[in-house]
Amino acid sequence: MPDALQAVLAAAAPASASILLAAMGGAVNRQGGIVNVGLEAKMLVGAFVAVICGAATSSSALGALAAAAAGALVGSAFSLVVTRLGANEIVAGLGLNLAAVGLFGYLLPVVFGVSATLSPPGLVGLPLLRIPLLDAVPFLGPVLSGHDPLTYVSWMVVPLTWLLLYRTTWGVSLRATGADEEAARAAGIRTLLLRDLSTAWAGALAGLAGAQLSLGLVQLFNKQMTGGRGFIALAAFYFGDARPGLTALAALVFGVFEAASFRLQGGELAPQLVQMLPYLAVVASLLVVGARRRRLRRRRELTPEPGR
Amino acid sequence: MIETAPAPLSGGPVRGRLPGALRLLAPFLIALGAGAVVLWATGRDAFAVYGQLADAALGGGTQIADTLAATTPILFTGIATALAFRAGAFNVGVEGSLYVGAFAAAWTGFSFPHLPGAPLLALAALLAALAGAAWALLPALARAWLDVSEVVTTLMLNYVAILLTSYLVNDHFLARGVANSMSPMIAPQARLPPLLPGSQLSAALLLGLLLLAGYWFLFSRSTLGFELRLVGLAPRLARASGVDLRRSLVIAMLASGLVGGWAGGFQVLGVIHRFVDGFSPGYGFTGIAVAILGRNHPLGILAGALFFGILTSGGGMVQLVSSIPIDLVNVVQGTLMVFAVADLGRLGWLRRWAGRA
Amino acid sequence: MSAPRIGLRGIVKRYGPIVANDRVDLDVAAGGIHAVVGENGAGKTTLMRIIAGLVEPDAGRYELDGRPVRLRGPADAIRRGIGMVHQRFQLVEELSALENLVLGATPGRLRFDRRAARTAARRLAEQLAAELDWEAPVAQLSVGQRQRLEIMRLLYRRADILIFDEPTSVLTPGEAELLFGIMRRLAADGRTILFITHKLPEVFAVAQHVTVMRRGRVVATSAVADTDPRQVGRQMVGEDLTPPDLRPSGRVGRPVLALREVSATGGRGEPRLRRVSFEVAEGEIVGVAGVEGNGQRELVEVVMGLRQPAGGEILLDGRPCGHRGVRERRDLGVAFISEDRDGEGASLDATIADNAVATAYRRPPLARAGLLSPGRVRRATEDLIRRFGVQGGRPGAPARVLSGGNLQRLVVGRELSRVPRLLVAAHPTRGVDLRGTVFIRQQLHRAREAGAAILLVSEEIVELLELCDRIVVLYRGRITADLPVARVTAERLGALMAGLAA
C-alpha cells in the first residue's frame, strides 16, 4: 500500500504541475475581477509553441519561455476584448477555447501533415532534476525529487503569488480593483490596465503549464492534450477562493485525483467518476459557502432589538 | 469575495452605438475574416473555400436538408439558452442538460423495445425533458436561495454530465460488438420520422420550429413571459411590482434545462439513434452564441442557428471534398462568440468610420 | 488681499434638460471651514464634484490660488491637494484599513512596505486622535471609523482641501461631535474645509462662512457671524413657491395601515427600526419626516413586503400581513412610489409600455387567463401618457428617453391609475422640476380626496406641511413625535428631524 501511495504521489507531482500553474495565474486574474475561462486555450497555445520553438532551437528552456510569452500575448488580446470592449468574460473565454481547438485542429493536418499528434524531429524534453540530498530520503525522495524543472517552478509560483498579491502595491491595487472597481478607480488606480496585466500574467503561467505538458510530461503536441486541465484549474481557484494557499492545495489534490484516475483505468472504480470530483468539489464548496452566508444573514436580519 | 457577477450580456453603460446593421453584422464579418486569415496564411483561397462551403451547404435539396439537420440541435440549444438569458439567468449549462437528455432518450429507446412507437417516443421525450430540467435544478435553487452564481455551477456541471454519461455508457450500457463507447440502438419505432429520405433531416426540425413559436408566444403573449422578461431586464422593478424573483428564476432555469434535454433527446431520436460518448461538438455552447447573436429574438435565434448549421454542414462537406479540416469552422465560431459579446461601439474610430460611411 | 484658495467663476453644468449648476460663483478662503447648504437638488453635490475633479463643468472657470486649472479626474485633483469624503465611502471593504490607506497612493513603488505604512498610519491616527484596528478588513469597521479612515486617506496623500459631502447623515450624534472636532483641528492646521449639509445647526456650530444654493444657483455667501439660522433657512427655501391649496378636507375614515411595535434590522444586523407604531386611515396623508438614514427606507420596505420585519405586527385593513409578499399586498390595494426611481420605480432599459404596465399586466383588461394582449397594453400606456402628461416618448421607446420628471409622472400615473387603498410614496418629488412637483403633489391630494390612505416619506419640510394631515417624525429608527399638522411649524419640524427637541 505505501508503495502504491508513493507511486500515486510521485505521479501526482508532475501531473498536477500544469493545473497548479494555470490555477495560480487564474487566481491572480480572479482577484483582479476576471474569471478566466480561457485558460484551456492558453495552455494549448503554450503547449504548441513550446514544441515548435523547442524543436527549432533544440532547447527546452527556450521552448518554455516562448510558451509563456505566447500565453501572455493571447491573454492580453483576450483581456483587451473584455476590459476595453466590455465583452462578457465567460462567453468570450468559451469562444477563445473553441477557436484555439479549431486552430490547431486545422493547422496540424494542413501545415504539418499529421492528424492529431505532432512530434517534430530535434525536440528535446525537459530534463528531470534529481535533488541530491532529498533524493535519498525514504518515501519522500521519489515523491519530491526527479521531476521536470517546470514542476518545481509551479511550486515556487505559489509563494511568489502570495508575495505578489499581499506584499506589493501592485497586488493591493489589483485586489482592490477586483473587489470594488469604482472605489479603486476613485483611488487613482488604473484598473483596466491592472486587469490587463493580471490576464497577461495568467496567460503566461497557462502558457508555461502547456509547456510542462508538451515538454515535461510527454515530448509531443496533441490537439487534445490539455484535456480539460484549464477547467480543472478554474475549479481549483474557485474552490480555493482565489487565495494562493487554498488554491494550490486544491490544485494538488486535483492532481492526485488525476494521477489516481490513470491508475484506475481497467480497475473497479471508473476513471470518469474520479475525474468528476474536481467539478463536484467546486459545486459543493460554492453551496456550502452560500449556505453559510445565508445562515449568517438570516441570523442578523431577524434578530430583534435586544429588550429595552 | 467569491461572487462578482460577470459583465452583463446587454444593457449597461453604452458608450457609443454603431448603426444597427453594422452592429448585428460586425461579429460575423470579423469571424469570417479570422477564418479567411487562417486560410490565406496557409496558402488557401478563402473566397473559394467559403464559396465551396456555401455551395456544399445550400447547393441542392439534399444539401439543404443536411444543413437543416445540422441546424436542428443548435436551434434547440439556442432556444434553451435564450429562455434563461431573457430572465436574467446566465445558464451556460445547456451542454450538460443536452447530454443527460440524450442519454435519457436513448435509454428509453433501447430499454422498452416492446412499446409501440407513439408512447415510446412520448416517454423518451418526457424523460429527456425531465433529465435536462433536473440538471438545471441544483444551480437554479442555489442561485435563488443561496445567491450562488449560476455561471460557475452550470459550467462545472457540464463536465460532470459528460463524464457521467460516459461512465454510464461505457460501464453499464455498452453495445455489444461495436467500436467503443456507444449504447445499443434505440428501437426502430422510437426513431423520429425522416423528412427527406437520404438525408439526416428528421421531424425534430419541425418540433424545434414549433418550440420556437411557443417561445415567441411565451414572451409576447403571456403574463408569465412578461414577468420573466421583466425579471431579466429590471429585477428591482419586478420585485417592487410583486414578482417573485426566485420563482421566476427557477422557472426560467428549469425551462432552459428542459429544452436543453430535448436538444440532446431529439438528436438521439432523430439522427444518431443511440447514445454515443461525447457525441456533441459543443451544441450547448453554440446555443450561447446563437442566443446572444440573435438577441434572444425568435427570428434572431432562427437566423443564428441557420448560420451555424450552414457552417457545420458545409464545413463537413468541404472537409470531405477538398481536405480542409472542419476544425476551421471552430475558429470561425469561437471568434464569433468572442465578438458577439464585445461592444464594438466603444471603438471610437470604428464609430466615426461607420458614421461617415 | 491674496487670491482665494478656490475660485469658481460662472460654472455651468447641465444633465440633459436639467441645469444642475447655473453660472455659479464661489470663493473659498484658505484655512477655514466653509459650509454649502441647500435643499435636495439645489446643486451642492454637483458643484463639489466639479471641485473634486469628478465632473467637468460645461462652462466657467475654475481657479486654484488665482490660477485657472483644468482637472483631469480625481487623481489629478488629489495631486493638487483636493480630496473628497463621499457620502458613500470609497473604501474597498474586503481590504484591510491599512491597505485602504495606501491604496493607489504610491503608484511608482512596487513593494508594499507594511512597516512604513503602519508608521504613517499611527501618526495620522494620533493627529486625528482616532484609533482603529489597521489590520481589520474595512467591512468590520463602524461607520464613524470608516469615515475617519477616509479622512486619513486624504491626509496620507497630502490633501489640503477636504470636501465633506453631508458627512453627518450617517453618524450618531456622538460621532458627529467627534467629526466636528477633527474638522476644527484640520482647519486650525491651515487646511481648507468645504462642508455640504442641509442641517443648519451644524453650520453654525463649525463653519466660518456659509454659501446658500437654490435651484442650481448661489443665492448668498456670508460670514456665519453676520447671519442667523432663520435668514439662511429663508434663503434655502426661497419665496418663489406659491403652493396650490392642498389642504385636506378632513374626512378621515377607518384605519387602513396599522404598525404595532415594528422593528427591523439592517444588513449588518444593526437595528434600523425600533418598535415603530402608528396608523394611516382612509382619506389621510401621514407624513414620515426625517433626515435620510433614520430608518425611512426600512420602514417603506417593511410596509411594502420587501423586507421581513424583525418583530411587531403590520395590519392592512385589520388583517395581519407582516408575512405577506409584495404581490399579495398589491392585490389588497397597496400602491408604491419608490424613492429608487431607476430601479424599483422604473427601469430605463425597459420600454415605456413595460414600465407603464409593470404592476397591472396580470389584471383584466390587459390580461385574461394568463394571456397578455399587446394591443391593450399599448392603449393603456397611451392612455396613461395622456392622462398624466408624460412627455417625450412613445410606448415602444426605452424609458431612458424620458426626463426624470416625466419618468416620475409615468410612475405616479401607473400607481394611481386606480385609486389605491394605501399608497406608499417615498420622496415622490425628489429631483423633479417645479411643474412636475406641483403636479405630483396634486395627484397625491386627489388620491387622498378619493379615499386613499397615503404614507408619504419625505425630507422636504414644505412638502410635508403642505400635504399632510399628520406627521410622524422618525429619528434613529424611532418615532419621536406624532402630531397633527396644525400643531407643527417649519422650525419645530426641522428641530425634531435633527433630533434636537421633543
Side-chain angles (χ1 to χ4, degrees):
Chain A
M1 190 59 213
D3 278 356
L5 181 66
Q6 187 188 45
V8 167
L9 289 180
S16 60
S18 58
I19 298 172
L20 184 55
L21 281 166
M24 293 322 284
V28 169
N29 213 181
R30 178 80 188 87
Q31 292 262 14
I34 290 181
V35 177
N36 198 329
V37 183
L39 290 173
E40 187 88 6
K42 289 151 212 166
M43 283 173 82
L44 202 57
V45 169
F48 177 79
V49 169
V51 163
I52 296 298
C53 292
T57 61
S58 302
S59 154
S60 57
L62 286 180
L65 277 180
L73 199 68
V74 175
S76 306
F78 170 67
S79 193
L80 289 177
V81 177
V82 172
T83 59
R84 310 300 155 125
L85 298 183
N88 174 293
E89 69 225 49
I90 306 286
V91 177
L94 290 171
L96 180 67
N97 289 338
L98 191 61
V101 169
L103 183 65
F104 294 119
Y106 173 86
L107 289 181
L108 288 187
V110 170
V111 178
F112 301 95
V114 293
S115 66
T117 301
L118 175 67
S119 181
L123 178 65
V124 231
L126 292 162
L128 299 183
L129 301 182
R130 302 214 157 272
I131 300 172
L133 284 173
L134 194 61
D135 213 20
V137 180
F139 189 80
L140 280 183
V143 174
L144 297 179
S145 176
H147 302 307
D148 62 84
L150 286 181
T151 299
Y152 295 110
V153 168
S154 77
W155 294 351
M156 286 185 287
V157 162
V158 180
L160 183 69
T161 302
W162 183 84
L163 278 175
L164 193 68
L165 284 174
Y166 299 100
R167 285 294 180 272
T168 64
T169 55
W170 189 87
V172 175
S173 300
L174 183 72
R175 286 189 293 129
T177 301
D180 188 342
E181 182 169 13
E182 200 188 318
R185 206 180 304 126
I189 292 168
R190 297 169 69 183
T191 55
L192 296 183
L193 179 69
L194 271 189
R195 286 207 160 138
D196 291 338
L197 288 173
S198 78
T199 319
W201 171 249
L205 287 187
L208 273 187
Q212 197 269 344
L213 290 176
S214 65
L215 297 178
L217 281 187
V218 290
Q219 281 80 48
L220 54 82
F221 174 77
N222 179 289
K223 66 177 178 179
Q224 284 165 342
M225 78 185 316
T226 50
R229 282 181 180 82
F231 283 98
I232 298 190
L234 178 82
F237 72 69
Y238 248 91
F239 188 85
D241 197 11
R243 281 178 284 189
L246 272 179
T247 301
L249 188 69
L252 290 171
V253 170
F254 295 165
V256 172
F257 289 165
E258 188 165 300
S261 78
F262 277 119
R263 313 202 116 236
L264 286 170
Q265 239 128 48
E268 272 174 27
L269 192 61
Q272 290 99 331
L273 296 183
V274 180
Q275 286 161 9
M276 259 181 228
L277 288 174
Y279 305 118
L280 288 176
V282 169
V283 174
S285 78
L286 287 176
L287 292 181
V288 168
V289 168
R292 199 183 302 148
R293 214 169 32 194
R294 175 179 160 82
R295 218 172 34 239
L296 209 69
R297 204 171 44 221
R298 283 184 72 86
R299 217 173 26 230
R300 281 171 175 167
E301 259 173 30
L302 294 178
T303 312
E305 191 190 352
R308 202 170 19 106
Chain B
M1 60 143 279
I2 268 195
E3 294 315 325
T4 48
L9 284 167
S10 61
V14 179
R15 284 204 213 148
R17 296 215 115 181
L18 294 176
L22 184 62
R23 202 165 73 237
L24 282 174
L25 290 180
F28 292 94
L29 296 177
I30 294 173
L32 290 173
V37 167
V38 172
L39 284 168
W40 275 315
T42 51
R44 311 291 160 118
D45 180 352
F47 288 124
V49 173
Y50 283 151
Q52 270 173 11
L53 194 148
D55 194 45
L58 305 169
T62 324
Q63 282 89 333
I64 291 177
D66 279 336
T67 295
L68 291 177
T71 304
T72 307
I74 303 169
L75 179 61
F76 274 95
T77 56
I79 296 171
T81 309
L83 270 167
F85 280 6
R86 268 254 161 135
F90 205 112
N91 183 12
V92 287
V94 171
E95 183 83 353
S97 290
L98 175 133
Y99 268 95
V100 293
F103 188 85
W107 178 81
T108 316
F110 64 70
S111 296
F112 304 100
H114 305 300
L115 282 179
L120 185 57
L121 264 174
L123 185 66
L126 177 72
L127 290 183
L130 284 179
W135 209 249
L137 181 65
L138 184 74
L141 295 179
R143 158 84 191 272
W145 266 271
L146 303 179
D147 214 15
V148 170
S149 153
E150 70 279 17
V151 179
V152 178
T153 49
T154 52
L155 190 62
M156 294 285 138
L157 286 177
N158 283 336
Y159 302 99
V160 176
I162 293 170
L163 290 163
L164 178 69
T165 52
S166 164
Y167 160 73
L168 286 173
V169 72
N170 281 303
D171 280 39
H172 297 283
F173 298 102
L174 205 56
R176 260 178 285 260
V178 293
N180 251 342
S181 306
M182 291 181 187
S183 79
M185 297 291 273
I186 59 173
Q189 71 273 24
R191 297 182 181 187
L192 284 172
L195 288 187
L196 184 73
S199 79
Q200 297 211 309
L201 187 61
S202 78
L205 176 70
L206 301 182
L207 293 172
L209 291 173
L210 209 61
L211 193 69
L212 191 67
Y215 173 89
W216 169 82
F217 186 84
L218 175 72
F219 283 111
S220 57
R221 288 288 187 278
S222 79
T223 55
L224 176 66
F226 182 89
E227 222 163 87
L228 295 180
R229 202 161 54 79
L230 200 63
V231 168
L233 203 57
R236 281 187 293 163
L237 171 61
R239 192 166 111 91
S241 302
V243 179
D244 185 338
L245 296 189
R246 287 177 173 160
R247 178 175 160 271
S248 303
L249 195 98
V250 171
I251 289 176
M253 284 289 288
L254 292 187
S256 173
L258 185 151
V259 175
W262 275 344
F266 290 135
Q267 187 68 3
V268 164
L269 300 174
V271 181
I272 46 182
H273 302 140
R274 62 183 355 152
F275 186 84
V276 179
D277 186 7
F279 75 96
S280 162
Y283 292 131
F285 296 116
T286 310
I288 299 173
V290 168
I292 293 170
L293 291 166
R295 319 248 148 181
N296 297 332
H297 189 281
L299 291 179
I301 294 171
L302 186 62
L306 271 171
F307 177 81
F308 286 112
I310 291 169
L311 220 52
T312 312
S313 92
M317 283 312 288
V318 171
Q319 166 156 297
L320 283 180
V321 180
S322 54
S323 74
I324 286 179
I326 189 167
D327 299 79
L328 182 72
V329 168
N330 286 338
V331 175
V332 175
Q333 186 183 335
T335 314
L336 191 49
M337 280 177 82
V338 172
F339 286 95
V341 286
D343 175 14
L344 294 167
R346 293 194 189 186
L347 296 174
W349 58 267
L350 184 64
R351 221 166 45 233
R352 280 188 295 278
W353 175 82
R356 258 207 312 276
Chain C
M1 208 187 116
S2 65
R5 186 74 180 90
I6 304 172
L8 301 181
R9 309 277 170 259
I11 293 288
V12 177
K13 179 68 200 175
R14 286 190 197 84
Y15 290 105
I18 298 165
V19 185
N21 284 164
D22 188 2
R23 285 160 288 163
V24 167
D25 294 322
L26 180 69
D27 282 339
V28 181
I33 302 179
H34 191 125
V36 179
V37 300
E39 290 196 299
N40 270 312
K44 318 180 287 275
T45 299
T46 301
L47 191 64
M48 293 306 120
R49 291 170 70 84
I50 288 173
I51 296 175
L54 290 157
V55 172
E56 259 199 78
D58 297 328
R61 221 165 64 218
Y62 179 177
E63 297 172 352
L64 288 175
D65 299 318
R67 278 189 301 276
V69 292
R70 190 163 160 246
L71 297 181
R72 288 177 305 271
D76 190 21
I78 193 83
R79 268 193 297 277
R80 296 169 190 270
I82 307 166
M84 184 154 172
V85 177
H86 295 265
Q87 229 170 338
R88 282 184 49 202
F89 302 139
Q90 305 274 319
L91 297 168
V92 182
E93 296 206 349
E94 286 83 349
L95 263 52
S96 72
L98 191 68
E99 286 169 338
N100 268 287
L101 181 75
V102 303
L103 190 61
T106 50
R109 208 173 309 149
L110 180 63
R111 195 166 91 94
F112 170 31
D113 187 346
R114 274 180 187 262
R115 267 247 293 282
R118 213 169 289 135
T119 312
R122 218 172 296 126
R123 213 175 40 238
L124 283 169
E126 254 166 52
Q127 199 180 331
L128 297 192
E131 200 36 70
L132 55 87
D133 179 1
W134 288 101
E135 294 304 327
V138 164
Q140 289 173 14
L141 301 183
S142 77
V143 172
Q145 286 174 322
R146 288 181 204 205
Q147 193 177 55
R148 293 191 278 283
L149 176 57
E150 279 263 59
I151 298 168
M152 286 188 252
R153 230 174 128 190
L154 297 180
L155 297 180
Y156 184 76
R157 293 151 170 241
R158 306 182 191 293
D160 77 329
I161 296 173
L162 288 91
I163 305 167
F164 289 83
D165 185 8
E166 308 214 3
T168 59
S169 63
V170 291
L171 299 182
T172 63
E175 282 176 329
E177 275 311 312
L178 206 60
L179 173 68
F180 293 150
I182 290 172
M183 286 166 72
R184 287 191 196 101
R185 205 163 314 144
L186 293 173
D189 287 349
R191 294 196 174 82
T192 307
I193 311 271
L194 267 162
F195 172 35
I196 307 183
T197 184
H198 51 220
K199 299 179 196 165
L200 298 184
E202 295 179 350
V203 174
F204 291 86
V206 296
Q208 283 93 50
H209 289 89
V210 56
T211 291
V212 183
M213 291 189 73
R214 189 173 76 232
R215 296 191 184 281
R217 297 187 184 185
V218 167
V219 194
T221 295
S222 24
V224 164
D226 301 338
T227 183
D228 60 79
R230 250 221 160 108
Q231 189 183 351
V232 174
R234 255 200 314 280
Q235 288 165 340
M236 271 168 71
V237 180
E239 273 102 352
D240 56 346
L241 232 151
T242 43
D245 183 24
L246 300 178
R247 292 279 96 201
S249 60
R251 285 191 306 276
V252 172
R254 291 177 298 141
V256 177
L257 172 72
L259 275 72
R260 306 253 159 89
E261 303 242 311
V262 173
S263 301
T265 49
R268 266 182 289 282
E270 73 282 12
R272 306 291 290 176
L273 277 186
R274 308 169 191 237
R275 307 189 179 212
V276 166
S277 303
F278 65 90
E279 292 188 347
V280 188
E282 289 168 343
E284 180 184 44
I285 299 183
V286 172
V288 176
V291 175
E292 176 129 29
N294 278 289
Q296 294 97 322
R297 174 79 200 153
E298 289 75 12
L299 176 68
V300 166
E301 288 182 349
V302 163
V303 171
M304 280 312 299
L306 289 162
R307 174 189 292 264
Q308 287 254 326
E313 237 188 342
I314 299 164
L315 304 166
L316 268 176
D317 279 321
R319 277 170 300 185
C321 69
H323 56 283
R324 287 177 204 264
V326 181
R327 172 165 289 175
E328 288 174 275
R329 292 185 206 208
R330 280 193 176 271
D331 287 347
L332 289 171
V334 180
F336 178 34
I337 300 172
S338 173
E339 66 179 288
D340 178 12
R341 206 164 300 160
D342 170 26
E344 281 182 358
S347 161
L348 298 183
D349 296 324
T351 63
I352 291 175
D354 285 343
N355 276 293
V357 302
T359 58
Y361 67 92
R362 289 186 313 130
R363 286 196 300 262
L366 300 182
R368 285 202 173 77
L371 298 185
L372 192 70
S373 158
R376 293 216 174 102
V377 166
R378 203 191 56 245
R379 279 196 296 280
T381 307
E382 283 164 352
D383 185 47
L384 200 101
I385 286 176
R386 207 172 40 246
R387 272 172 58 203
F388 290 86
V390 181
Q391 282 166 6
R394 325 179 113 268
R400 192 174 294 286
V401 304
L402 295 181
S403 71
N406 279 303
L407 186 64
Q408 187 70 339
R409 279 171 184 253
L410 184 70
V411 173
V412 170
R414 179 184 73 209
E415 300 296 328
L416 292 180
S417 58
R418 301 194 314 180
V419 176
R421 271 307 277 164
L422 171 70
L423 170 69
V424 178
H427 309 287
T429 63
R430 183 187 278 175
V432 176
D433 58 15
L434 192 62
R435 270 186 49 209
T437 298
V438 170
F439 176 79
I440 289 168
R441 287 179 187 166
Q442 271 167 346
Q443 293 299 324
L444 296 186
H445 174 66
R446 197 170 297 164
R448 163 178 56 194
E449 296 308 305
I454 299 179
L455 182 68
L456 171 65
V457 176
S458 179
E459 295 181 298
E460 286 198 49
I461 292 173
V462 175
E463 178 164 285
L464 290 165
L465 293 178
E466 191 178 297
L467 272 172
C468 295
D469 301 72
R470 272 190 314 125
I471 294 177
V472 298
V473 178
L474 199 57
Y475 180 72
R476 302 193 59 209
R478 285 199 179 82
I479 298 283
T480 54
D482 184 342
L483 303 164
V485 74
R487 285 178 47 204
V488 189
T489 61
E491 275 93 359
R492 175 125 189 258
L493 194 53
L496 284 166
M497 286 166 73
L500 291 180

